Amino acid sequence: MIVQARMGRTLGLILGWLGLLQYVSWSSKVVFARWSAPAFVAICVVAVAALASSVHSARVIGRLRGASEPEAPPARPWLGACDLGLLLWGLGYLLAALDNPDAGGRLLEMDAFGSFYSPSIALEWLSMAALAYGML
């Protein structure tokens, strides 16, 4: 049920969003005296993606709970691997942002896998491996 509901994707996006919230813009703080406009747009985009994924997961869980006989999961192991990759990436991103709030702004520089915090480095490497497996 967890794989069918894409919970890894949902949790990974939520963790990534929480990591983005840790960032404090250093040059322009026009939004809530904390973020620049591009940082706020990135936060909003990830929040909308996490919300859409949450709604999708809730609908799938509701459909599976309401079914008298749950349907057999389709043979798509790559979905589970991609979701695991997103979950590991989100956790690594959040840990890096908690260690150094400037790391929460890495996405603004298109740096998704460039952490300097050791636990985050390990999680991001595992994330890349899971995403690569899922894309085979």
Side-chain angles (χ1 to χ4, degrees):
M1 179 162 71
I2 291 173
V3 174
Q4 284 177 318
R6 311 285 310 267
M7 290 301 295
R9 175 187 65 186
T10 301
L11 292 174
L13 286 170
I14 291 170
L15 292 171
W17 177 71
L18 290 173
L20 273 170
L21 289 177
Q22 303 305 309
Y23 177 66
V24 177
S25 298
W26 53 273
S27 62
S28 170
K29 298 180 181 182
V30 296
V31 181
F32 301 123
R34 184 175 172 95
W35 300 299
S36 64
F40 185 69
V41 168
I43 289 168
C44 290
V45 166
V46 175
V48 168
L51 181 63
S53 183
S54 298
V55 168
H56 176 265
S57 295
R59 285 184 179 170
V60 170
I61 289 171
R63 188 172 62 235
L64 290 175
R65 283 189 177 175
S68 58
E69 287 185 27
E71 58 202 45
R76 296 185 288 183
W78 59 272
L79 273 180
C82 287
D83 289 349
L84 177 63
L86 278 173
L87 175 62
L88 292 173
W89 173 82
L91 182 59
Y93 194 80
L94 177 60
L95 288 177
L98 289 173
D99 178 58
N100 179 8
D102 286 341
R106 287 185 303 148
L107 280 183
L108 300 171
E109 299 168 353
M110 301 299 172
D111 183 8
F113 296 102
S115 179
F116 290 103
Y117 183 55
S118 298
S120 295
I121 293 170
L123 287 169
E124 289 174 3
W125 273 96
L126 290 172
S127 169
M128 284 190 283
L131 288 168
Y133 174 75
M135 291 182 190
L136 288 177

